[in-house]
């Protein structure tokens, strides 16, 4: 609770709202003790005195009554009526909601139908109808406002109750022979109460406004009694000649509603854990770059990732997702990057084109060179022109990576038109050609399908077609087959392999599956905790893994027809990258670890293309 | 698509019936003898008896409901005693004015709200975002009737840019420019709260959508950022904004009652308030049923728009 309050009042606006509300509440509570004039005593000689006129701090109204006094007493009445309406609406609405939710079935059905019908009214019509039937008056306005808000409570509370009614403790109470009434009062109500209170706190401001509104229309409080609404309503006729009589009650309503709104927003934000993690922040168009240290010199590779550092800054914590990774591909080459989830392989891939979500992602060092040109920190437009045109991505899980509201044909055409000026007809024809290139049958018809209308394998092909749209030089495939079943996976892999041979594509293939690497890749790099621990020709690494981690990873792959053998899972979990141990990150899980493994920096060493980051490798490379 | 709209129209029938039942039940809440309540305590016994017969009060409640319903279906909403003309004529005429006001406001709040929300989300925590958030906070906290009054003071009395009130100028008015001139202030005052609500919602919907994987895909294929925001993100965000537009339409319609009073706009809201103060209950009853029915039908249109936008909704 104190943590919640601290969080709430760290929000300056919420604190301000609370302060204003407190001052207003304090003022109206001590109003009877203040040396105020009687709010209802008229003095026609003193009518329409301006604020700060003798003896009247806020002036007087059209009957010469002291405005300050009327304001405080009116606020008292308005708040009292609003809160009373909220209490009544909450009580009746919750009773209805609990009944519907607890008994369920037909009772629920009939009640909720009724509630739906009430909610089909614009609220004021219902309130006006009730006031019309009962006649104008403050009590009747209160009843109308309460009644209008009953459905809101009924629906919310029913939702919560339905969730609770199926729980074990309710069944237990039933088995213990308790009656319905007792179960509702002793078991259900205490659990629902917090929800009722929150719903009430979010609607009370609204109800104060609604009752003020009815009084403004002349349907609520009747003279001489005045709440804020009727003060404003009465002052309206003198709006042009004596505006202060309108402004005074108007500002008060505004202050009350705004402070309640601010406080309510603060409460909602403080209760929402996503805000604290920064997860509600919008990712920028490119990853933030705060590069320190030297920029590595250019090489003649097609694409070279050089000593890349990418971090996530969440609050005061820093997660070093990628800690100095260097990779390179030449045309026509396929490089596999392999590692467990959380090893930093996807972040490495996304860093290439500045696609790491930022916030919280920050690239803090290194370079990514495409044909020698450094892309880290390059202007947005430079990056955009290369994205999808020279370097294209294929993502995992095409259901979430394809836009649900565009047809696949539109999405493909867009990929083309983002880089080439072509007419819509041409782009569409090209899109259909791409779909048949990735062996989607009946491509012309499929182009008009939405992603959700296609199978998983089909969607992945669309993803590949999209990556091929502009005949890029490099494709970065981030676990493109993980979500697919084995036969589809094999088809997709051979498709990629063909494309590589036919078009001289360079592919960076990210996966956690050594079987896939063996099938497709010329070279492989093994990542662990944000760093490369071993690299080399695929066959060499598979035949004689040098790093204990690689050896264990290969041992995890089941062999078809290999007979029954113990599959060796690696004990323990990868370390959290916000708190990496010194020395080898794998040491805590390694059966060969020595004391020396846990100190100092261990270099990636060996004769190219082989290298390993281990003091006691399985084989010397 | 056509089948879907038809299905929704059919499903609206029970809701419309429910509305008539609720209004009927509320009207039977009238304490004491309705005829006396309507005619006042000075009514002669003959008049009371005649009105009782006219209102059908000598019959059972169920009978009365069906007679009333049947009459309404044939367009007979009864006769307003304070205006001495058929209720339906008055309601239709007034509803026209309300539709102009509320319709304009609705279009305004939808466009301004969505634009503000998008701008806010696109520049999250930037200057524009902070400015918009602040204005929105003020907008949703000022009661529309007070805002309207302050606008009159500023734009009509002080600056003399716009007319104080009414729908047309008394002399020489009546054409479209005159109407627009009179419409600006009430439409803006009425739109303020809904604009704020829609702006807030659009902002959070955009922020939610911008974190989705398919936005990253769009960026990965080199779609220009402007199109990422105004195309990919906005379209997906609309899926959660449009249903709220339907709800906000109800609030705009409700707020129109206050605005019509403040600006002397000859709409159905002002008619209802006058009718309540004059105890012209048939006029209230007819007006409420008619406007509520229109609102239900409007929401069907919103549903249809939603299904056009989102192909995942089964049509």
């Amino acid at each position: 609770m104190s943590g919640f309050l601290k969080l709430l009042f760290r929000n300056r606006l919420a604190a301000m709202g609370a302060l204003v509300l407190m001052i207003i509440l304090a003022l109206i509570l001590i109003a009877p003790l203040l040396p105020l004039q009687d709010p209802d005593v008229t003095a026609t000689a003193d009518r329409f005195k301006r604020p700060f006129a003798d003896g009247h701090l806020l002036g007087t109204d059209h009957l010469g009554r002291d405005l300050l006094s009327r304001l405080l007493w009116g606020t008292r009445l308005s708040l009292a009526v609003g809160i009373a309406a909220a209490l009544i609406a909450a009580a009746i609405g919750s009773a209805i909601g609990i009944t519907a939710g607890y008994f369920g079935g037909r009772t629920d059905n009939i009640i909720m139908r009724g509630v739906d019908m009430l909610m089909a009214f614009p609220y004021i019509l219902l309130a006006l109808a009730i006031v019309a039937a009962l006649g104008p008056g403050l009590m009747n306005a209160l009843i109308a406002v309460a009644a209008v808000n009953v459905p809101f409570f009924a629906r919310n509370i029913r939702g919560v109750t339905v969730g609770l009614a199926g729980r074990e403790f309710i069944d237990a109470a039933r088995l213990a022979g308790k009656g319905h009434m007792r179960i509702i009062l002793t078991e259900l109500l205490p659990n629902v109460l917090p929800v009722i209170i929150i719903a009430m706190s979010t609607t009370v401001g609204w109800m104060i406004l609604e009752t003020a509104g009815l009084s403004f229309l002349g349907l609520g409080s009747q003279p001489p009694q005045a709440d804020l609404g009727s003060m404003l309503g009465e002052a309206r006729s003198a709006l042009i000649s004596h505006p202060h009589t309108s402004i005074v009650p108007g500002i008060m309503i505004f202050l009350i509603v705004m402070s309640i709104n601010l406080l309510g927003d603060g409460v909602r934000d403080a209760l929402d854990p996503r805000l604290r993690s920064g997860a509600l922040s919008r990712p920028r168009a490119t990853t933030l770059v705060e590069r320190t240290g030297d920029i590595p010199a250019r090489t003649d590779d097609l694409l070279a990732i050089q000593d890349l550092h990418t971090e996530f800054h969440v609050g005061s914590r820093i997660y070093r997702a990628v800690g100095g990774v260097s990779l390179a591909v030449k045309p026509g080459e396929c490089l596999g990057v392999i590692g467990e989830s959380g090893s930093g392989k996807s972040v490495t891939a996304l860093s290439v084109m500045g696609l790491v979500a930022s916030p919280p992602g920050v690239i803090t060092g290194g370079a990514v060179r495409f044909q020698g040109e450094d892309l880290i920190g390059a202007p947005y437009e430079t990056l955009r022109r290369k994205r999808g045109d020279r370097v294209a991505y294929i993502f995992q899980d095409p259901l979430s990576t394809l836009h649900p509201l565009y047809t696949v044909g539109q999405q493909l055409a867009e990929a083309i038109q983002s880089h080439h000026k072509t007419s819509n007809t041409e782009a569409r024809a090209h899109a259909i050609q791409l779909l048949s290139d990735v062996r989607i049958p009946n491509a012309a018809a499929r182009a008009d399908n939405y992603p959700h209308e296609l199978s998983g394998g089909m969607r992945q092909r669309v993803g590949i077609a999209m990556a091929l749209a502009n005949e890029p030089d490099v494709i970065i495939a981030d676990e493109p087959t993980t979500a697919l079943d084995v036969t589809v996976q094999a088809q997709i892999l051979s498709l990629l392999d063909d494309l590589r041979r036919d078009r001289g594509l360079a592919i960076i293939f990210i996966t956690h599956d050594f079987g896939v690497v063996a099938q497709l890749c010329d070279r492989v790099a093994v990542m662990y905790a944000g760093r490369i621990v071993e690299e080399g020709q695929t066959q060499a690494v598979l035949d004689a893994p040098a790093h204990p981690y690689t050896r264990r990873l290969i041992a995890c792959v089941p062999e078809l027809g290999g007979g029954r053998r113990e599959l060796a899972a690696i004990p323990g979990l990868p370390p959290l990258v916000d708190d990496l141990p010194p020395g080898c990150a794998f040491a805590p899980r390694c059966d060969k670890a020595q004391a020396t493994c846990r100190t100092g920096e261990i270099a990636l060493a060996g004769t190219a293309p082989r290298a390993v980051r281990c003091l006691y490798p399985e084989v010397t490379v | 698509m056509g089948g879907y709209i038809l299905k929704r129209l059919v499903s609206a029938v029970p809701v419309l019936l429910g509305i008539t039942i609720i209004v009927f039940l509320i009207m039977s809440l009238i304490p004491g003898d309705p005829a006396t309540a309507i005619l006042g305590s000075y009514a002669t016994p003959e008049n009371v008896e005649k009105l009782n017969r006219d209102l059908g009060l000598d019959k059972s409640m169920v009978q009365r409901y069906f007679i009333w319903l049947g009459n309404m279906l044939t367009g007979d909403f009864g006769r307003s005693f304070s205006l001495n003309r058929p209720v339906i004529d008055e309601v239709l005429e007034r509803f026209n004015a309300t539709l102009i006001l509320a319709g304009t406001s609705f279009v305004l709040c939808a466009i301004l709200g969505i634009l503000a929300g998008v701008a806010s989300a696109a520049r999250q925590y930037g200057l524009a975002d902070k400015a918009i958030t602040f204005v929105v906070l003020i907008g949703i906290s000022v009661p529309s009737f007070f805002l309207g009054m302050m606008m009159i003071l500023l734009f009509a009395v002080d600056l003399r840019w716009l007319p104080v009130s009414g729908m047309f100028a008394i002399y020489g008015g009546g054409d479209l420019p005159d109407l627009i001139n009179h419409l600006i202030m009430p439409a803006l005052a009425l739109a303020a709260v809904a604009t704020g609500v829609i702006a807030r919602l659009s902002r959070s919907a955009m922020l939610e959508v911008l974190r989705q994987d398919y936005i990253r895909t769009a960026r990965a294929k080199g779609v220009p950022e402007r199109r990422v925001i105004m195309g990919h993100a906005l379209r997906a965000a609309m899926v959660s904004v449009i249903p709220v537009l339907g709800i906000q339409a109800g609030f705009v319609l409700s707020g129109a009652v206050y605005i019509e009073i403040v600006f002397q706009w000859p709409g159905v809201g002002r008619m209802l308030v006058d009718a309540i103060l004059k105890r012209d209950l048939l006029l209230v009853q007819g007006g409420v049923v008619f406007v509520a029915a229109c609102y239900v039908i409007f929401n069907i249109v919103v549903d249809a728009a939603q299904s056009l936008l989102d192909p995942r909704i089964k049509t």
Side-chain angles (χ1 to χ4, degrees):
Chain A
M1 191 63 200
S2 73
F4 167 75
L5 285 179
K6 224 163 104 188
L7 210 59
L8 177 62
F9 289 118
R10 201 187 295 157
N11 181 340
R12 265 176 302 171
L13 285 174
M16 208 177 78
L19 185 69
V20 173
L21 203 58
M22 286 306 206
I23 293 173
I24 293 174
L25 283 178
L27 274 178
I28 62 168
L29 282 177
I30 60 165
L33 305 176
L34 294 175
L36 293 169
Q37 295 160 34
D38 188 316
D40 296 332
V41 164
T42 58
T44 31
D46 288 340
R47 58 205 293 258
F48 290 132
K49 282 233 161 113
R50 301 189 65 79
F52 308 114
D54 40 24
H56 302 285
L57 198 55
L58 294 178
T60 58
D61 71 357
H62 60 290
L63 294 176
R65 296 172 292 196
D66 182 55
L67 266 180
L68 178 63
S69 167
R70 284 181 73 73
L71 181 72
L72 291 185
W73 286 98
T75 307
R76 240 171 112 94
L77 191 59
S78 274
L79 287 181
V81 173
I83 291 167
L87 284 173
I88 295 172
I92 298 177
S94 305
I96 293 174
I98 288 176
T99 310
Y102 176 77
F103 291 103
R106 275 180 61 123
T107 321
D108 185 26
N109 223 329
I110 292 171
I111 291 179
M112 291 323 286
R113 279 284 158 79
V115 167
D116 283 346
M117 304 223 164
L118 284 173
M119 288 185 118
F121 279 88
Y123 78 88
I124 195 123
L125 288 183
L126 208 53
L128 287 182
I130 293 171
V131 174
L134 298 178
L138 192 55
M139 240 2 237
N140 294 342
L142 191 159
I143 293 172
V145 169
V148 167
N149 283 287
V150 162
F152 168 79
F153 283 95
R155 180 175 281 189
N156 274 343
I157 301 306
R158 174 199 168 260
V160 180
T161 310
V162 166
L164 288 170
R167 297 268 287 276
E168 300 80 3
F169 67 94
I170 301 289
D171 288 337
R174 242 179 239 152
L175 289 175
K178 287 191 186 175
H180 289 317
M181 203 59 199
R182 261 192 77 194
I183 295 178
I184 289 177
L185 287 180
T186 61
E187 307 288 337
L188 217 45
L189 193 61
N191 286 293
V192 179
L193 208 55
V195 185
I196 299 178
I197 290 171
I198 289 176
M200 224 166 76
S201 68
T202 57
T203 46
V204 64
W206 182 233
M207 290 195 228
I208 291 171
L209 192 55
E210 279 173 40
T211 40
L214 287 177
S215 289
F216 174 77
L217 296 176
L219 306 177
S221 75
Q222 302 294 320
Q225 186 192 45
D227 68 355
L228 292 172
S230 62
M231 280 178 76
L232 197 55
E234 286 173 27
R236 201 169 60 82
S237 50
L239 171 67
I240 293 170
S241 53
H242 300 95
H244 73 277
T245 52
S246 302
I247 293 176
V248 165
I251 296 270
M252 182 54 107
I253 301 178
F254 169 66
L255 283 179
I256 294 171
V257 176
M258 186 170 73
S259 54
I260 291 177
N261 278 343
L262 283 175
L263 199 56
D265 290 352
V267 170
R268 193 198 54 209
D269 290 355
L271 291 175
D272 190 341
R274 288 188 304 176
L275 275 175
R276 265 169 283 176
S277 67
L280 276 184
S281 291
R282 137 196 151 76
R284 301 147 43 103
T286 59
T287 309
L288 186 67
V289 174
E290 285 173 4
R291 195 154 51 163
T292 53
D294 299 334
I295 297 164
R298 62 178 294 169
T299 60
D300 57 355
D301 295 295
L302 176 61
L303 179 74
I305 299 167
Q306 300 169 306
D307 195 29
L308 177 75
H309 288 76
T310 304
E311 300 175 349
F312 292 107
H313 294 181
V314 181
S316 58
R317 308 195 84 138
I318 294 178
Y319 296 84
R320 293 190 172 80
V322 179
V325 165
S326 299
L327 295 167
V329 279
K330 294 188 162 52
E333 191 180 31
C334 179
L335 168 70
V337 178
I338 193 164
E340 289 168 282
S341 35
S343 62
K345 52 195 196 308
S346 291
V347 180
T348 305
L350 291 172
S351 298
V352 171
M353 283 286 133
L355 289 170
V356 178
S358 166
V362 187
I363 294 177
T364 54
V368 171
R369 291 185 185 278
F370 178 76
Q371 295 175 330
E373 183 189 356
D374 188 9
L375 299 180
I376 302 289
Y380 165 72
E381 190 56 25
T382 312
L383 217 49
R384 184 193 76 75
R385 281 176 193 283
K386 293 210 164 46
R387 284 177 177 176
D389 191 40
R390 301 314 347 132
V391 181
Y393 282 86
I394 305 171
F395 294 110
Q396 190 185 351
D397 187 13
L399 187 57
S400 67
T401 54
L402 292 176
H403 199 292
L405 307 181
Y406 290 103
T407 65
V408 297
Q410 287 170 333
Q411 299 192 46
L412 283 169
E414 188 185 33
I416 300 158
Q417 288 176 316
S418 293
H419 299 286
H420 302 280
K421 269 201 155 39
T422 43
S423 70
N424 289 339
T425 355
E426 268 176 73
R428 184 183 154 84
H430 192 167
I432 292 170
Q433 181 57 43
L434 284 166
L435 287 177
S436 43
D437 283 355
V438 293
R439 295 174 210 148
I440 287 181
N442 205 358
R446 284 301 181 197
D448 293 326
N449 281 140
Y450 289 94
H452 73 277
E453 294 167 333
L454 302 176
S455 69
M458 206 78 100
R459 278 196 291 264
Q460 194 53 273
R461 281 160 205 259
V462 172
I464 295 174
M466 200 137 84
L468 295 172
N470 297 300
E471 306 202 344
D473 302 312
V474 182
I475 281 188
I476 299 176
D478 189 357
E479 308 213 25
T481 57
T482 306
L484 305 177
D485 65 53
V486 217
T487 49
V488 183
Q489 178 175 326
Q491 289 170 0
I492 301 262
L493 290 180
S494 73
L495 180 68
L496 277 174
D497 204 36
D498 291 351
L499 289 167
R500 169 165 80 105
R501 288 179 208 289
D502 297 349
R503 305 194 182 182
L505 260 181
I507 299 178
I508 296 181
F509 197 96
I510 291 158
T511 178
H512 57 250
D513 185 349
F514 249 116
V516 174
V517 169
Q519 220 176 324
L520 192 68
C521 301
D522 305 310
R523 285 187 300 125
V524 62
V526 184
M527 281 189 74
Y528 188 79
R531 316 188 87 178
I532 291 175
V533 294
E534 175 164 10
E535 62 185 341
Q537 302 293 347
T538 306
Q539 207 50 51
V541 173
L542 280 175
D543 291 345
H547 198 283
Y549 176 65
T550 317
R551 177 178 58 81
R552 305 283 290 270
L553 209 54
I554 293 172
C556 287
V557 181
E559 224 172 311
L560 204 58
R564 288 221 260 169
R565 101 186 134 91
E566 192 90 13
L567 280 180
I570 308 175
L573 288 169
L576 290 173
V577 284
D578 66 328
D579 187 23
L580 285 178
C584 176
F586 186 61
R589 297 168 78 187
C590 182
D591 49 7
K592 299 174 72 180
Q594 310 282 320
T596 45
C597 294
R598 296 190 170 86
T599 53
E601 178 74 21
I602 299 162
L604 191 63
T607 41
R610 287 283 271 152
V612 65
R613 195 188 293 276
C614 183
L615 294 177
Y616 308 98
E618 309 275 335
V619 292
T620 325
V621 296
Chain B
M1 190 64 222
Y4 176 74
I5 294 178
L6 196 72
K7 224 164 65 188
R8 291 287 294 125
L9 277 175
V10 170
S11 75
V13 171
V15 181
L16 291 173
L17 278 179
I19 283 173
T20 59
I21 293 174
I22 289 169
V23 173
F24 183 79
L25 287 177
I26 290 175
M27 286 304 162
S28 57
L29 285 176
I30 300 173
D33 178 23
T36 319
I38 291 169
L39 294 174
S41 44
Y42 299 112
T44 60
E46 299 86 72
N47 279 346
V48 170
E49 195 192 331
K50 181 175 176 303
L51 187 64
N52 266 331
R53 211 169 41 245
D54 287 355
L55 293 173
L57 287 178
D58 44 349
K59 302 197 176 64
S60 80
M61 250 175 91
V62 178
Q63 272 178 316
R64 257 163 36 215
Y65 170 71
F66 281 106
I67 292 171
W68 178 60
L69 187 66
N71 285 344
M72 277 197 302
L73 288 176
T74 57
D76 176 10
F77 281 64
R79 206 174 169 79
S80 154
F81 82 86
S82 65
L83 301 163
N84 197 22
R85 70 184 294 206
V87 165
I88 188 70
D89 292 359
E90 179 71 10
V91 170
L92 283 177
E93 199 179 301
R94 296 297 200 110
F95 190 64
N96 205 17
T98 297
L99 213 53
I100 293 174
L101 173 63
T104 311
S105 273
F106 180 70
V107 171
L108 273 178
C109 75
I111 294 175
L112 292 179
I114 290 169
L115 282 182
V118 170
S120 219
R123 302 260 179 282
Q124 192 190 14
Y125 303 133
L127 198 64
D129 184 26
K130 284 184 182 140
I132 290 172
T133 308
F134 181 71
V135 173
V136 161
L137 177 70
I138 304 278
I140 59 174
S141 301
V142 181
S144 60
F145 41 91
F146 181 55
L147 179 63
M149 290 163 74
M150 292 302 105
M151 284 172 94
I152 291 177
L153 275 184
L154 181 60
F155 296 113
V157 178
D158 269 12
L159 299 170
R160 299 187 171 277
W161 287 352
L162 294 164
V164 172
S165 64
M167 190 164 169
F168 293 106
I170 301 167
Y171 302 108
D175 52 353
L176 190 64
D178 185 39
L179 174 64
I180 292 174
N181 223 11
H182 281 82
L183 186 58
I184 294 175
M185 274 202 296
L188 283 175
L190 180 52
V193 176
T195 306
V197 174
I198 292 169
R200 277 188 160 195
L201 180 85
S202 307
R203 178 179 185 268
S204 63
M206 284 292 285
L207 289 178
E208 183 77 37
V209 165
L210 279 167
R211 290 183 296 123
Q212 299 297 319
D213 286 348
Y214 52 79
I215 297 298
R216 190 185 61 197
T217 307
R219 286 179 171 156
K221 65 186 184 187
V223 176
E225 187 65 10
R226 173 186 290 271
R227 211 183 124 68
V228 171
I229 304 275
M230 297 308 289
H232 291 247
L234 183 58
R235 188 164 186 160
M238 279 305 108
V239 171
S240 43
V241 172
I242 284 185
V244 176
L245 289 186
I247 297 170
Q248 285 305 312
F251 284 96
V252 169
L253 211 51
S254 295
V257 175
Y258 303 115
I259 295 299
E260 284 174 10
I261 297 279
V262 171
F263 288 93
Q264 306 281 308
W265 192 268
V268 84
R270 219 176 103 206
M271 179 202 84
L272 285 175
V273 174
D274 288 346
I276 292 172
L277 293 173
K278 287 180 189 148
R279 316 283 307 133
D280 190 347
L281 294 185
L282 280 180
L283 189 55
V284 176
Q285 188 172 310
V288 167
V289 168
F290 183 84
V291 177
C294 290
Y295 177 63
V296 168
I297 289 165
F298 175 77
N299 265 307
I300 294 174
V301 176
V302 172
D303 273 2
Q306 178 81 341
S307 71
L308 275 181
L309 179 76
D310 190 347
R312 289 168 299 184
I313 295 177
K314 290 258 183 303
T315 52

